[in-house]
Amino acid sequence: MQRRSVLTLATSTAATVGLARYAWAQSAYKAEYKMSTVVPPAFAWGKGGEIFGNLVRERTGGRINIKQYPGASLVQGDQTREFSAMRQGIIDVLCGAPINWTGTVRELGVFTLPFLFPDHKAWDAVMASSVVQKDYFDLVRKAGAEPLAVGETGYRQISNSKRPIKQPDDLKGLKIRVVGSPMYGEIMSSMGANPTFMSWADAQPALASSAVDAQENPLEVFLAAKIHTLGQKFVTKWNYSNDILLFAIAAPVWQSWTPADQKIVREAGIDAAAQQVQLVRKLFAEDVEKVKALGVEVHVPTPAELAQWQISTRRTYARWKAQTNADMLGKIEALVDKSRKA
Ligand code: X2X
């Protein structure tokens, strides 16, 4: 009898501890998880964030409520501070272009080197590689976030208010707004342009007031933000850089969720990323016609012109390959080569 009651006591104590842990886990859930995106859902990128938040909310029955803060408003519009703000607990969920975070973790910009991906076939071959994904995801984990999935920011194209840009010399003397990595600045200055770093929030007034002559962004961004109304009359679709769109959760937040919820969130990230990539590709296929319809002159470079651009960025490429992650880039280059021959 005595033995039995000791056992009962032990069992009920274990149950209480278990329950307490469960209750703790539940109460550790926040009422709202803050997600930063640079642009709102009218852009494919912001839409990807919106889709993700909605899927998580639906599939967890509202247990995990992700709220989107577009305009990088959690960091007062300074998108280059997103990653460090995530580390400080100001941002819980990232849905962004790692190029913006290279000031915090340089290697995260490994996909953005000039003319690395000649086309979507190459881009897909690299992103489908479990080896590259593991390398990259390990890097993100080491930096303090749990990576979920990879979408696509989109091929970045150059626009300006002065003249058609068909060869590197045409960039001479142009004041161009760039963001993210100093690498973008180097690419531009190596061709004789004058790069100025500024956030997306500051870029639009700077274009409107002609403080800068040029900018570079995916054409779906050009269209959604109506950049043609800011005096940008010439576009060159040179496909020089195409970053991923990383869906990731701040490590302490990720650890506060039950394994079952982690699974739901990861799957939601993968589904949202797939939908976002589809949307970006659809917009990419239509962009030249849409931009032309606004009265903007669009130049699509010939293969010979593209080769010239590539040559002019070779030194910058080599420098940044060495400075980011030469090992991972070697693997990426091999996959790109293979996709060209396939
Ligand atoms: O600011 C930009 O140019 C944008 C929206 O493309 C990025 O955040 C990299």
Side-chain angles (χ1 to χ4, degrees), residues 66-83:
I66 295 178
K67 182 163 180 217
Q68 184 168 9
Y69 289 82
S73 61
L74 296 167
V75 282
Q76 293 72 46
D78 182 358
Q79 65 229 56
T80 62
R81 283 175 36 221
E82 276 182 329
F83 205 87

Side-chain angles (χ1 to χ4, degrees), residues 52-62 64-67:
F52 176 55
N54 287 342
L55 287 178
V56 170
R57 199 169 305 109
E58 281 163 25
R59 295 178 184 178
T60 61
I64 297 179
N65 172 35
I66 295 178
K67 182 163 180 217

Side-chain angles (χ1 to χ4, degrees), residues 37-39 43 45 79-80 82 96-100 153 156 177-180 184 198-201 203 215-218 221 243:
T37 59
V38 177
V39 288
F43 299 62
W45 168 344
Q79 65 229 56
T80 62
E82 276 182 329
I99 190 72
N100 282 326
T153 300
R156 302 182 75 86
R177 173 268 172 179
V178 288
V179 74
Y184 282 160
M198 57 181 84
S199 69
W200 174 241
Q215 65 89 41
E216 50 78 58
N217 247 302
V221 171
D243 203 1

Side-chain angles (χ1 to χ4, degrees), residues 7 15 28 47 50 56 58 62 69 76 78 106 110 118 158 170 191 199 202 208 223 232 279 284 290 302 335 342:
L7 250 174
K47 190 77 193 167
E50 184 184 71
V56 170
E58 281 163 25
Y69 289 82
Q76 293 72 46
D78 182 358
R106 179 175 287 200
V110 76
I158 191 163
D170 295 332
M191 293 185 280
S199 69
D202 293 338
L223 286 161
Q232 296 288 287
L279 180 58
F284 179 83
K290 284 197 172 156
T302 63
L335 288 161

Side-chain angles (χ1 to χ4, degrees), residues 1-323:
M1 187 71 201
Q2 218 185 356
R3 225 184 127 205
R4 226 181 118 198
S5 58
V6 170
L7 250 174
T8 315
L9 183 73
T11 319
S12 68
T13 309
T16 314
V17 170
L19 206 69
R21 265 213 200 114
Y22 179 71
W24 175 82
Q26 285 295 298
S27 66
Y29 277 42
K30 297 195 214 174
E32 173 190 305
Y33 293 95
K34 296 184 184 344
M35 170 169 61
S36 180
T37 59
V38 177
V39 288
F43 299 62
W45 168 344
K47 190 77 193 167
E50 184 184 71
I51 293 169
F52 176 55
N54 287 342
L55 287 178
V56 170
R57 199 169 305 109
E58 281 163 25
R59 295 178 184 178
T60 61
R63 232 175 7 261
I64 297 179
N65 172 35
I66 295 178
K67 182 163 180 217
Q68 184 168 9
Y69 289 82
S73 61
L74 296 167
V75 282
Q76 293 72 46
D78 182 358
Q79 65 229 56
T80 62
R81 283 175 36 221
E82 276 182 329
F83 205 87
S84 54
M86 181 277 298
R87 282 174 162 176
Q88 289 160 7
I90 296 162
I91 289 171
D92 302 307
V93 180
L94 292 167
C95 171
I99 190 72
N100 282 326
W101 312 328
T102 54
T104 316
V105 184
R106 179 175 287 200
E107 285 173 270
L108 293 177
V110 76
F111 296 120
T112 56
L113 264 66
F115 302 102
L116 174 59
F117 298 114
D119 49 32
H120 278 124
K121 198 174 151 207
W123 198 91
D124 287 341
V126 171
M127 299 313 158
S129 155
S130 51
V131 175
V132 171
Q133 183 171 101
K134 187 186 177 305
D135 281 0
Y136 195 84
F137 278 15
D138 282 352
L139 226 148
V140 175
R141 283 194 188 103
K142 229 174 81 191
E146 179 60 28
L148 305 175
V150 162
E152 178 182 340
T153 300
Y155 276 109
R156 302 182 75 86
Q157 324 294 2
I158 191 163
S159 77
N160 84 101
S161 58
K162 301 276 190 210
R163 54 180 175 261
I165 295 176
K166 298 190 174 174
Q167 53 185 355
D169 267 2
D170 295 332
L171 273 161
K172 277 214 169 101
L174 283 183
K175 274 182 280 170
I176 179 163
R177 173 268 172 179
V178 288
V179 74
S181 156
M183 184 194 71
Y184 282 160
E186 254 182 66
I187 294 171
M188 299 306 167
S189 42
S190 72
M191 293 185 280
N194 302 320
T196 309
F197 288 89
M198 57 181 84
S199 69
W200 174 241
D202 293 338
Q204 294 161 87
L207 289 165
S209 69
S210 301
V212 293
D213 310 310
Q215 65 89 41
E216 50 78 58
N217 247 302
L219 290 184
E220 74 97 355
V221 171
F222 185 96
L223 286 161
K226 301 188 169 57
I227 302 279
H228 69 289
T229 64
L230 308 177
Q232 296 288 287
K233 300 194 193 89
F234 306 95
V235 162
T236 301
K237 190 172 179 177
W238 62 347
N239 296 338
Y240 90 117
S241 184
N242 187 356
D243 203 1
I244 60 168
L245 185 71
L246 184 70
F247 293 75
I249 311 290
V253 171
W254 179 254
Q255 283 147 18
S256 74
W257 292 340
T258 63
D261 279 341
Q262 289 178 347
K263 185 166 179 283
I264 293 173
V265 172
R266 186 179 301 287
E267 282 168 6
I270 292 168
D271 293 347
Q275 288 187 44
Q276 188 273 338
V277 170
Q278 248 186 4
L279 180 58
V280 161
R281 301 276 169 100
K282 180 180 169 286
L283 296 170
F284 179 83
E286 302 166 346
D287 61 15
V288 171
E289 287 320 307
K290 284 197 172 156
V291 173
K292 275 186 181 165
L294 300 170
V296 174
E297 199 178 310
V298 180
H299 179 65
V300 179
T302 63
E305 284 169 347
L306 276 177
Q308 245 197 321
W309 291 113
Q310 205 157 10
I311 291 165
S312 68
T313 54
R314 223 176 240 164
R315 276 178 59 129
T316 309
Y317 185 104
R319 261 175 54 75
W320 284 86
K321 180 178 172 181
Q323 282 184 32

